[in-house]
Amino acid sequence: MIRKSLLALTLIAGLSGAQHAVAGPFFNRAQAPSAQELGLDASQQAAWEQIQAQTLAFRKATLSSIAAELADTRVALANPGVDLRAIGADYQTIALTALMEQRQLRDQRLAFYDSLNPAQQAQVRAFLIEATEQAERALRAIAVLQGSD
């Protein structure tokens, strides 16, 4: 249960703004088109920068919550009378909170996408295709490392 919650949190944190992280099979990540490449006007650029800042803050807060919970878990597990249900519930709370916050960010990104013209939307979709292909490769790499390919 805890392992699944941690995996979900890791995926949430990693995929919510994946272009900022580089690790393992994610080297040479697809880079989102820049504001200049998309031809964003000042208003669009400000909106995008706000979404990016919120995404970064969300990722940092989520990872901080996970780190704190892991530290608490280590201490709790040293106690023979540890309540494993409570530990699992704590991780589920973090996961549910992260999912709700991620949903709000997703809605903001989708509203931003809807505000773009068709050419700008095509550039964003091309980036998303490349990012999706990289995520697929990463998942295959993880499966190979786990011996479940």
PDB file of all heavy atoms in Angstrom, residues 8-9 11-17 51 54-55 58-59 62 94-110:
ATOM      1  N   ALA A   8       2.712   6.497  -6.857  1.00  0.00           N
ATOM      2  CA  ALA A   8       1.744   7.464  -7.385  1.00  0.00           C
ATOM      3  C   ALA A   8       2.217   8.889  -7.134  1.00  0.00           C
ATOM      4  O   ALA A   8       2.157   9.740  -8.021  1.00  0.00           O
ATOM      5  CB  ALA A   8       0.373   7.236  -6.756  1.00  0.00           C
ATOM      6  N   LEU A   9       2.719   9.151  -5.943  1.00  0.00           N
ATOM      7  CA  LEU A   9       3.212  10.496  -5.629  1.00  0.00           C
ATOM      8  C   LEU A   9       4.410  10.865  -6.488  1.00  0.00           C
ATOM      9  O   LEU A   9       4.536  12.001  -6.942  1.00  0.00           O
ATOM     10  CB  LEU A   9       3.574  10.586  -4.145  1.00  0.00           C
ATOM     11  CG  LEU A   9       2.391  10.585  -3.194  1.00  0.00           C
ATOM     12  CD1 LEU A   9       2.873  10.437  -1.759  1.00  0.00           C
ATOM     13  CD2 LEU A   9       1.576  11.848  -3.346  1.00  0.00           C
ATOM     14  N   LEU A  11       5.105   9.739  -9.497  1.00  0.00           N
ATOM     15  CA  LEU A  11       4.623  10.012 -10.847  1.00  0.00           C
ATOM     16  C   LEU A  11       3.929  11.358 -10.929  1.00  0.00           C
ATOM     17  O   LEU A  11       4.125  12.114 -11.875  1.00  0.00           O
ATOM     18  CB  LEU A  11       3.690   8.898 -11.321  1.00  0.00           C
ATOM     19  CG  LEU A  11       4.360   7.575 -11.626  1.00  0.00           C
ATOM     20  CD1 LEU A  11       3.311   6.502 -11.910  1.00  0.00           C
ATOM     21  CD2 LEU A  11       5.316   7.702 -12.792  1.00  0.00           C
ATOM     22  N   ILE A  12       3.126  11.678  -9.929  1.00  0.00           N
ATOM     23  CA  ILE A  12       2.434  12.962  -9.908  1.00  0.00           C
ATOM     24  C   ILE A  12       3.443  14.090  -9.906  1.00  0.00           C
ATOM     25  O   ILE A  12       3.357  15.029 -10.692  1.00  0.00           O
ATOM     26  CB  ILE A  12       1.524  13.069  -8.666  1.00  0.00           C
ATOM     27  CG1 ILE A  12       0.344  12.121  -8.791  1.00  0.00           C
ATOM     28  CG2 ILE A  12       1.028  14.502  -8.468  1.00  0.00           C
ATOM     29  CD1 ILE A  12      -0.389  11.904  -7.491  1.00  0.00           C
ATOM     30  N   ALA A  13       4.401  14.001  -9.010  1.00  0.00           N
ATOM     31  CA  ALA A  13       5.393  15.056  -8.900  1.00  0.00           C
ATOM     32  C   ALA A  13       6.248  15.151 -10.150  1.00  0.00           C
ATOM     33  O   ALA A  13       6.551  16.241 -10.630  1.00  0.00           O
ATOM     34  CB  ALA A  13       6.290  14.826  -7.676  1.00  0.00           C
ATOM     35  N   GLY A  14       6.619  14.016 -10.697  1.00  0.00           N
ATOM     36  CA  GLY A  14       7.478  14.019 -11.875  1.00  0.00           C
ATOM     37  C   GLY A  14       6.777  14.449 -13.131  1.00  0.00           C
ATOM     38  O   GLY A  14       7.322  15.195 -13.938  1.00  0.00           O
ATOM     39  N   LEU A  15       5.555  14.038 -13.327  1.00  0.00           N
ATOM     40  CA  LEU A  15       4.862  14.339 -14.568  1.00  0.00           C
ATOM     41  C   LEU A  15       4.161  15.679 -14.544  1.00  0.00           C
ATOM     42  O   LEU A  15       3.801  16.204 -15.589  1.00  0.00           O
ATOM     43  CB  LEU A  15       3.859  13.231 -14.892  1.00  0.00           C
ATOM     44  CG  LEU A  15       4.478  11.869 -15.163  1.00  0.00           C
ATOM     45  CD1 LEU A  15       3.392  10.833 -15.403  1.00  0.00           C
ATOM     46  CD2 LEU A  15       5.428  11.923 -16.345  1.00  0.00           C
ATOM     47  N   SER A  16       3.986  16.255 -13.389  1.00  0.00           N
ATOM     48  CA  SER A  16       3.297  17.530 -13.341  1.00  0.00           C
ATOM     49  C   SER A  16       4.116  18.663 -13.922  1.00  0.00           C
ATOM     50  O   SER A  16       3.579  19.696 -14.257  1.00  0.00           O
ATOM     51  CB  SER A  16       2.904  17.867 -11.911  1.00  0.00           C
ATOM     52  OG  SER A  16       4.073  18.115 -11.158  1.00  0.00           O
ATOM     53  N   GLY A  17       5.371  18.484 -14.043  1.00  0.00           N
ATOM     54  CA  GLY A  17       6.221  19.489 -14.644  1.00  0.00           C
ATOM     55  C   GLY A  17       7.520  18.861 -15.062  1.00  0.00           C
ATOM     56  O   GLY A  17       8.586  19.337 -14.721  1.00  0.00           O
ATOM     57  N   ILE A  51       1.515  29.823 -14.319  1.00  0.00           N
ATOM     58  CA  ILE A  51       1.237  28.384 -14.256  1.00  0.00           C
ATOM     59  C   ILE A  51       2.518  27.613 -13.949  1.00  0.00           C
ATOM     60  O   ILE A  51       2.521  26.690 -13.127  1.00  0.00           O
ATOM     61  CB  ILE A  51       0.601  27.891 -15.579  1.00  0.00           C
ATOM     62  CG1 ILE A  51      -0.808  28.472 -15.730  1.00  0.00           C
ATOM     63  CG2 ILE A  51       0.563  26.364 -15.628  1.00  0.00           C
ATOM     64  CD1 ILE A  51      -1.405  28.271 -17.117  1.00  0.00           C
ATOM     65  N   GLN A  54       3.436  28.060 -10.296  1.00  0.00           N
ATOM     66  CA  GLN A  54       2.553  27.265  -9.445  1.00  0.00           C
ATOM     67  C   GLN A  54       2.908  25.777  -9.530  1.00  0.00           C
ATOM     68  O   GLN A  54       2.863  25.065  -8.527  1.00  0.00           O
ATOM     69  CB  GLN A  54       1.089  27.474  -9.846  1.00  0.00           C
ATOM     70  CG  GLN A  54       0.574  28.849  -9.483  1.00  0.00           C
ATOM     71  CD  GLN A  54      -0.813  29.109 -10.062  1.00  0.00           C
ATOM     72  OE1 GLN A  54      -1.174  28.584 -11.111  1.00  0.00           O
ATOM     73  NE2 GLN A  54      -1.580  29.922  -9.370  1.00  0.00           N
ATOM     74  N   THR A  55       3.259  25.319 -10.717  1.00  0.00           N
ATOM     75  CA  THR A  55       3.644  23.922 -10.903  1.00  0.00           C
ATOM     76  C   THR A  55       4.910  23.609 -10.114  1.00  0.00           C
ATOM     77  O   THR A  55       4.998  22.579  -9.444  1.00  0.00           O
ATOM     78  CB  THR A  55       3.843  23.608 -12.402  1.00  0.00           C
ATOM     79  OG1 THR A  55       2.606  23.842 -13.081  1.00  0.00           O
ATOM     80  CG2 THR A  55       4.300  22.177 -12.626  1.00  0.00           C
ATOM     81  N   PHE A  58       4.081  23.525  -6.464  1.00  0.00           N
ATOM     82  CA  PHE A  58       3.347  22.286  -6.181  1.00  0.00           C
ATOM     83  C   PHE A  58       4.304  21.113  -6.062  1.00  0.00           C
ATOM     84  O   PHE A  58       4.237  20.327  -5.123  1.00  0.00           O
ATOM     85  CB  PHE A  58       2.319  22.034  -7.296  1.00  0.00           C
ATOM     86  CG  PHE A  58       1.860  20.606  -7.394  1.00  0.00           C
ATOM     87  CD1 PHE A  58       1.004  20.070  -6.452  1.00  0.00           C
ATOM     88  CD2 PHE A  58       2.292  19.795  -8.434  1.00  0.00           C
ATOM     89  CE1 PHE A  58       0.572  18.758  -6.542  1.00  0.00           C
ATOM     90  CE2 PHE A  58       1.871  18.485  -8.531  1.00  0.00           C
ATOM     91  CZ  PHE A  58       1.011  17.960  -7.579  1.00  0.00           C
ATOM     92  N   ARG A  59       5.229  21.006  -7.016  1.00  0.00           N
ATOM     93  CA  ARG A  59       6.180  19.890  -7.006  1.00  0.00           C
ATOM     94  C   ARG A  59       7.052  19.938  -5.759  1.00  0.00           C
ATOM     95  O   ARG A  59       7.249  18.922  -5.088  1.00  0.00           O
ATOM     96  CB  ARG A  59       7.042  19.929  -8.259  1.00  0.00           C
ATOM     97  CG  ARG A  59       7.913  18.695  -8.400  1.00  0.00           C
ATOM     98  CD  ARG A  59       8.744  18.664  -9.672  1.00  0.00           C
ATOM     99  NE  ARG A  59       8.058  19.176 -10.820  1.00  0.00           N
ATOM    100  CZ  ARG A  59       8.366  20.342 -11.425  1.00  0.00           C
ATOM    101  NH1 ARG A  59       9.354  21.076 -10.985  1.00  0.00           N
ATOM    102  NH2 ARG A  59       7.694  20.746 -12.467  1.00  0.00           N
ATOM    103  N   THR A  62       4.971  18.973  -2.680  1.00  0.00           N
ATOM    104  CA  THR A  62       4.654  17.552  -2.667  1.00  0.00           C
ATOM    105  C   THR A  62       5.874  16.733  -2.265  1.00  0.00           C
ATOM    106  O   THR A  62       5.795  15.840  -1.415  1.00  0.00           O
ATOM    107  CB  THR A  62       4.126  17.092  -4.041  1.00  0.00           C
ATOM    108  OG1 THR A  62       2.953  17.848  -4.354  1.00  0.00           O
ATOM    109  CG2 THR A  62       3.794  15.617  -4.043  1.00  0.00           C
ATOM    110  N   ILE A  94      -1.493  12.477   1.539  1.00  0.00           N
ATOM    111  CA  ILE A  94      -0.566  13.225   0.687  1.00  0.00           C
ATOM    112  C   ILE A  94      -0.941  13.018  -0.776  1.00  0.00           C
ATOM    113  O   ILE A  94      -0.986  13.975  -1.556  1.00  0.00           O
ATOM    114  CB  ILE A  94       0.897  12.799   0.950  1.00  0.00           C
ATOM    115  CG1 ILE A  94       1.330  13.208   2.353  1.00  0.00           C
ATOM    116  CG2 ILE A  94       1.833  13.414  -0.099  1.00  0.00           C
ATOM    117  CD1 ILE A  94       2.663  12.625   2.781  1.00  0.00           C
ATOM    118  N   ALA A  95      -1.213  11.779  -1.160  1.00  0.00           N
ATOM    119  CA  ALA A  95      -1.547  11.483  -2.556  1.00  0.00           C
ATOM    120  C   ALA A  95      -2.833  12.170  -2.983  1.00  0.00           C
ATOM    121  O   ALA A  95      -2.901  12.761  -4.073  1.00  0.00           O
ATOM    122  CB  ALA A  95      -1.660   9.967  -2.757  1.00  0.00           C
ATOM    123  N   LEU A  96      -3.850  12.122  -2.143  1.00  0.00           N
ATOM    124  CA  LEU A  96      -5.127  12.755  -2.491  1.00  0.00           C
ATOM    125  C   LEU A  96      -4.996  14.272  -2.584  1.00  0.00           C
ATOM    126  O   LEU A  96      -5.558  14.890  -3.489  1.00  0.00           O
ATOM    127  CB  LEU A  96      -6.207  12.367  -1.472  1.00  0.00           C
ATOM    128  CG  LEU A  96      -6.644  10.905  -1.527  1.00  0.00           C
ATOM    129  CD1 LEU A  96      -7.571  10.582  -0.362  1.00  0.00           C
ATOM    130  CD2 LEU A  96      -7.306  10.586  -2.859  1.00  0.00           C
ATOM    131  N   THR A  97      -4.253  14.855  -1.679  1.00  0.00           N
ATOM    132  CA  THR A  97      -4.016  16.294  -1.728  1.00  0.00           C
ATOM    133  C   THR A  97      -3.274  16.661  -3.011  1.00  0.00           C
ATOM    134  O   THR A  97      -3.640  17.621  -3.702  1.00  0.00           O
ATOM    135  CB  THR A  97      -3.205  16.750  -0.501  1.00  0.00           C
ATOM    136  OG1 THR A  97      -3.945  16.431   0.682  1.00  0.00           O
ATOM    137  CG2 THR A  97      -2.918  18.236  -0.540  1.00  0.00           C
ATOM    138  N   ALA A  98      -2.255  15.881  -3.341  1.00  0.00           N
ATOM    139  CA  ALA A  98      -1.493  16.143  -4.559  1.00  0.00           C
ATOM    140  C   ALA A  98      -2.371  15.999  -5.798  1.00  0.00           C
ATOM    141  O   ALA A  98      -2.280  16.806  -6.730  1.00  0.00           O
ATOM    142  CB  ALA A  98      -0.293  15.202  -4.643  1.00  0.00           C
ATOM    143  N   LEU A  99      -3.230  15.002  -5.814  1.00  0.00           N
ATOM    144  CA  LEU A  99      -4.119  14.817  -6.960  1.00  0.00           C
ATOM    145  C   LEU A  99      -5.078  15.991  -7.130  1.00  0.00           C
ATOM    146  O   LEU A  99      -5.312  16.449  -8.255  1.00  0.00           O
ATOM    147  CB  LEU A  99      -4.914  13.515  -6.822  1.00  0.00           C
ATOM    148  CG  LEU A  99      -4.134  12.241  -7.118  1.00  0.00           C
ATOM    149  CD1 LEU A  99      -4.964  11.023  -6.740  1.00  0.00           C
ATOM    150  CD2 LEU A  99      -3.726  12.189  -8.574  1.00  0.00           C
ATOM    151  N   MET A 100      -5.610  16.497  -6.038  1.00  0.00           N
ATOM    152  CA  MET A 100      -6.523  17.644  -6.131  1.00  0.00           C
ATOM    153  C   MET A 100      -5.799  18.883  -6.637  1.00  0.00           C
ATOM    154  O   MET A 100      -6.299  19.602  -7.503  1.00  0.00           O
ATOM    155  CB  MET A 100      -7.171  17.917  -4.775  1.00  0.00           C
ATOM    156  CG  MET A 100      -8.186  16.862  -4.377  1.00  0.00           C
ATOM    157  SD  MET A 100      -9.110  17.233  -2.864  1.00  0.00           S
ATOM    158  CE  MET A 100      -7.811  17.438  -1.656  1.00  0.00           C
ATOM    159  N   GLU A 101      -4.607  19.125  -6.120  1.00  0.00           N
ATOM    160  CA  GLU A 101      -3.838  20.285  -6.560  1.00  0.00           C
ATOM    161  C   GLU A 101      -3.399  20.130  -8.014  1.00  0.00           C
ATOM    162  O   GLU A 101      -3.424  21.083  -8.786  1.00  0.00           O
ATOM    163  CB  GLU A 101      -2.639  20.501  -5.645  1.00  0.00           C
ATOM    164  CG  GLU A 101      -3.031  20.945  -4.257  1.00  0.00           C
ATOM    165  CD  GLU A 101      -1.845  21.108  -3.325  1.00  0.00           C
ATOM    166  OE1 GLU A 101      -0.712  21.311  -3.808  1.00  0.00           O
ATOM    167  OE2 GLU A 101      -2.049  21.023  -2.105  1.00  0.00           O
ATOM    168  N   GLN A 102      -3.008  18.914  -8.389  1.00  0.00           N
ATOM    169  CA  GLN A 102      -2.592  18.668  -9.758  1.00  0.00           C
ATOM    170  C   GLN A 102      -3.753  18.880 -10.709  1.00  0.00           C
ATOM    171  O   GLN A 102      -3.585  19.403 -11.807  1.00  0.00           O
ATOM    172  CB  GLN A 102      -2.028  17.251  -9.884  1.00  0.00           C
ATOM    173  CG  GLN A 102      -1.292  16.985 -11.174  1.00  0.00           C
ATOM    174  CD  GLN A 102      -2.199  16.649 -12.338  1.00  0.00           C
ATOM    175  OE1 GLN A 102      -3.301  16.161 -12.175  1.00  0.00           O
ATOM    176  NE2 GLN A 102      -1.716  16.922 -13.526  1.00  0.00           N
ATOM    177  N   ARG A 103      -4.940  18.501 -10.308  1.00  0.00           N
ATOM    178  CA  ARG A 103      -6.129  18.681 -11.150  1.00  0.00           C
ATOM    179  C   ARG A 103      -6.376  20.167 -11.411  1.00  0.00           C
ATOM    180  O   ARG A 103      -6.720  20.562 -12.521  1.00  0.00           O
ATOM    181  CB  ARG A 103      -7.342  18.034 -10.485  1.00  0.00           C
ATOM    182  CG  ARG A 103      -8.579  18.049 -11.364  1.00  0.00           C
ATOM    183  CD  ARG A 103      -9.695  17.218 -10.777  1.00  0.00           C
ATOM    184  NE  ARG A 103      -9.317  15.816 -10.850  1.00  0.00           N
ATOM    185  CZ  ARG A 103      -9.659  14.892  -9.966  1.00  0.00           C
ATOM    186  NH1 ARG A 103     -10.392  15.217  -8.929  1.00  0.00           N
ATOM    187  NH2 ARG A 103      -9.298  13.644 -10.116  1.00  0.00           N
ATOM    188  N   GLN A 104      -6.188  20.995 -10.394  1.00  0.00           N
ATOM    189  CA  GLN A 104      -6.356  22.441 -10.576  1.00  0.00           C
ATOM    190  C   GLN A 104      -5.328  22.981 -11.565  1.00  0.00           C
ATOM    191  O   GLN A 104      -5.661  23.801 -12.437  1.00  0.00           O
ATOM    192  CB  GLN A 104      -6.242  23.164  -9.236  1.00  0.00           C
ATOM    193  CG  GLN A 104      -7.389  22.878  -8.295  1.00  0.00           C
ATOM    194  CD  GLN A 104      -7.160  23.444  -6.908  1.00  0.00           C
ATOM    195  OE1 GLN A 104      -6.057  23.868  -6.564  1.00  0.00           O
ATOM    196  NE2 GLN A 104      -8.204  23.449  -6.097  1.00  0.00           N
ATOM    197  N   LEU A 105      -4.084  22.526 -11.440  1.00  0.00           N
ATOM    198  CA  LEU A 105      -3.045  22.960 -12.376  1.00  0.00           C
ATOM    199  C   LEU A 105      -3.350  22.484 -13.794  1.00  0.00           C
ATOM    200  O   LEU A 105      -3.160  23.215 -14.758  1.00  0.00           O
ATOM    201  CB  LEU A 105      -1.670  22.452 -11.929  1.00  0.00           C
ATOM    202  CG  LEU A 105      -1.085  23.155 -10.713  1.00  0.00           C
ATOM    203  CD1 LEU A 105       0.115  22.374 -10.190  1.00  0.00           C
ATOM    204  CD2 LEU A 105      -0.693  24.575 -11.056  1.00  0.00           C
ATOM    205  N   ARG A 106      -3.831  21.249 -13.912  1.00  0.00           N
ATOM    206  CA  ARG A 106      -4.190  20.724 -15.226  1.00  0.00           C
ATOM    207  C   ARG A 106      -5.278  21.580 -15.868  1.00  0.00           C
ATOM    208  O   ARG A 106      -5.205  21.918 -17.047  1.00  0.00           O
ATOM    209  CB  ARG A 106      -4.658  19.280 -15.105  1.00  0.00           C
ATOM    210  CG  ARG A 106      -5.038  18.663 -16.461  1.00  0.00           C
ATOM    211  CD  ARG A 106      -6.004  17.522 -16.344  1.00  0.00           C
ATOM    212  NE  ARG A 106      -7.233  17.986 -15.735  1.00  0.00           N
ATOM    213  CZ  ARG A 106      -8.021  17.229 -14.999  1.00  0.00           C
ATOM    214  NH1 ARG A 106      -7.717  15.978 -14.749  1.00  0.00           N
ATOM    215  NH2 ARG A 106      -9.124  17.721 -14.483  1.00  0.00           N
ATOM    216  N   ASP A 107      -6.270  21.948 -15.088  1.00  0.00           N
ATOM    217  CA  ASP A 107      -7.353  22.780 -15.612  1.00  0.00           C
ATOM    218  C   ASP A 107      -6.829  24.136 -16.079  1.00  0.00           C
ATOM    219  O   ASP A 107      -7.266  24.654 -17.112  1.00  0.00           O
ATOM    220  CB  ASP A 107      -8.447  22.953 -14.566  1.00  0.00           C
ATOM    221  CG  ASP A 107      -9.219  21.668 -14.300  1.00  0.00           C
ATOM    222  OD1 ASP A 107      -9.117  20.714 -15.113  1.00  0.00           O
ATOM    223  OD2 ASP A 107      -9.928  21.613 -13.270  1.00  0.00           O
ATOM    224  N   GLN A 108      -5.881  24.705 -15.344  1.00  0.00           N
ATOM    225  CA  GLN A 108      -5.280  25.973 -15.760  1.00  0.00           C
ATOM    226  C   GLN A 108      -4.506  25.801 -17.064  1.00  0.00           C
ATOM    227  O   GLN A 108      -4.582  26.647 -17.957  1.00  0.00           O
ATOM    228  CB  GLN A 108      -4.332  26.503 -14.682  1.00  0.00           C
ATOM    229  CG  GLN A 108      -5.038  27.061 -13.475  1.00  0.00           C
ATOM    230  CD  GLN A 108      -4.038  27.552 -12.457  1.00  0.00           C
ATOM    231  OE1 GLN A 108      -3.405  26.754 -11.762  1.00  0.00           O
ATOM    232  NE2 GLN A 108      -3.887  28.857 -12.372  1.00  0.00           N
ATOM    233  N   ARG A 109      -3.746  24.694 -17.169  1.00  0.00           N
ATOM    234  CA  ARG A 109      -2.988  24.450 -18.405  1.00  0.00           C
ATOM    235  C   ARG A 109      -3.927  24.258 -19.593  1.00  0.00           C
ATOM    236  O   ARG A 109      -3.653  24.740 -20.689  1.00  0.00           O
ATOM    237  CB  ARG A 109      -2.094  23.218 -18.243  1.00  0.00           C
ATOM    238  CG  ARG A 109      -0.840  23.489 -17.464  1.00  0.00           C
ATOM    239  CD  ARG A 109       0.103  22.280 -17.584  1.00  0.00           C
ATOM    240  NE  ARG A 109       0.770  22.093 -16.329  1.00  0.00           N
ATOM    241  CZ  ARG A 109       0.432  21.199 -15.406  1.00  0.00           C
ATOM    242  NH1 ARG A 109      -0.549  20.362 -15.604  1.00  0.00           N
ATOM    243  NH2 ARG A 109       1.087  21.121 -14.287  1.00  0.00           N
ATOM    244  N   LEU A 110      -5.020  23.536 -19.375  1.00  0.00           N
ATOM    245  CA  LEU A 110      -5.972  23.318 -20.464  1.00  0.00           C
ATOM    246  C   LEU A 110      -6.642  24.623 -20.890  1.00  0.00           C
ATOM    247  O   LEU A 110      -6.848  24.859 -22.090  1.00  0.00           O
ATOM    248  CB  LEU A 110      -7.009  22.273 -20.066  1.00  0.00           C
ATOM    249  CG  LEU A 110      -6.472  20.849 -19.938  1.00  0.00           C
ATOM    250  CD1 LEU A 110      -7.531  19.930 -19.334  1.00  0.00           C
ATOM    251  CD2 LEU A 110      -5.985  20.326 -21.276  1.00  0.00           C
TER     252      LEU A 110
END
